[in-house]
Amino acid sequence: YKTLTIVPTLDCNLKCPYCYEGLDKPHISMNGNVVKHIKQYIDTHIRKQETRLLALIWYGGEPLLEFDTIRDISEYIKQKDIPFFGDITTNGTLLTEDKLKEFDKLNIRQVQISFDGPKEHHNSKRFFANNKGTFDLLMDKCKMLNTYVGTHNNFTVHIRINVDINNKDNSAVLF
């Protein structure tokens, strides 16, 4: 069993003030040369060592901004007949039904999205460049994910709640 974490981009479509990338996130994404080296690593360290199962973790930035890279590398691993599953940590705003259908084809079996507490607090921390909050959008995405999970018993959704000094007393309101 091996785990490979890949960050296809440091870029993000949100402007969260606490982000480790800072407010002016670098617009850096993997180029073709990096993807080539990842594939070489997979051949050398995963395939040749006959790994029984690979956990492929997608992280960022916002990894769904580079969905073509996710598709490319996942399809490469499938072509090599390496047993694997994917796990993606995303802010959730770019999830669509079409992407969920592709998740199934790409062996992505887990998704994690996060909230920063109830709507008012969440929207003060997680918003787009135009300052529009993401809470309502994420609630819609959760409904979509719930429907998807209902028909895909091999798929798991993790909801993370970020707790800080300002929302510690009401973060459980989401439940």
Side-chain angles (χ1 to χ4, degrees):
Y1 179 81
K2 290 193 178 182
T3 300
L4 179 60
T5 300
I6 300 177
V7 179
T9 184
L10 296 176
D11 198 6
C12 185
N13 59 331
L14 298 183
K15 299 295 179 197
C16 307
Y18 59 76
C19 182
Y20 67 94
E21 293 291 343
L23 292 177
D24 294 319
K25 293 168 187 55
H27 300 290
I28 299 171
S29 296
M30 281 187 183
N31 61 35
N33 192 44
V34 173
V35 171
K36 180 179 116 181
H37 284 287
I38 288 173
K39 290 176 180 179
Q40 289 172 347
Y41 177 87
I42 289 166
D43 286 339
T44 304
H45 296 283
I46 308 294
R47 185 168 171 249
K48 288 184 181 171
Q49 293 180 6
E50 297 183 17
T51 299
R52 285 190 244 168
L53 182 63
L54 173 65
L56 186 59
I57 312 299
W58 298 102
Y59 198 73
E62 173 48 52
L64 291 178
L65 287 171
E66 293 295 331
F67 195 65
D68 288 342
T69 299
I70 293 171
R71 183 185 302 112
D72 181 20
I73 293 171
S74 297
E75 287 176 347
Y76 182 80
I77 294 169
K78 282 183 84 165
Q79 289 171 356
K80 297 294 181 175
D81 290 324
I82 298 168
F84 80 101
F85 70 91
D87 180 328
I88 188 164
T89 299
T90 172
N91 63 38
T93 61
L94 299 175
L95 285 170
T96 63
E97 289 184 15
D98 287 339
K99 281 191 178 86
L100 288 176
K101 288 176 188 171
E102 282 212 57
F103 282 6
D104 193 42
K105 295 175 191 170
L106 301 174
N107 288 356
I108 296 174
R109 301 290 179 242
Q110 296 181 75
V111 64
Q112 176 181 281
I113 61 173
S114 57
F115 284 86
D116 280 50
K119 184 176 182 174
E120 184 177 304
H121 186 77
H122 175 91
N123 284 342
S124 74
K125 298 280 188 173
R126 303 191 42 107
F127 46 85
F128 294 102
N130 66 3
N131 292 322
K132 182 176 183 207
T134 60
F135 186 88
D136 291 335
L137 176 62
L138 287 184
M139 291 303 283
D140 289 342
K141 301 298 182 172
C142 284
K143 290 174 189 171
M144 179 183 68
L145 286 165
N146 188 49
T147 300
Y148 185 78
V149 167
T151 59
H152 295 80
N153 61 358
N154 62 347
F155 191 80
T156 305
V157 176
H158 299 273
I159 305 293
R160 185 182 76 217
I161 301 173
N162 297 322
V163 179
D164 64 22
I165 192 72
N166 297 311
N167 72 349
K168 66 179 176 57
D169 294 326
N170 65 0
S171 60
V173 170
L174 286 172
F175 299 107

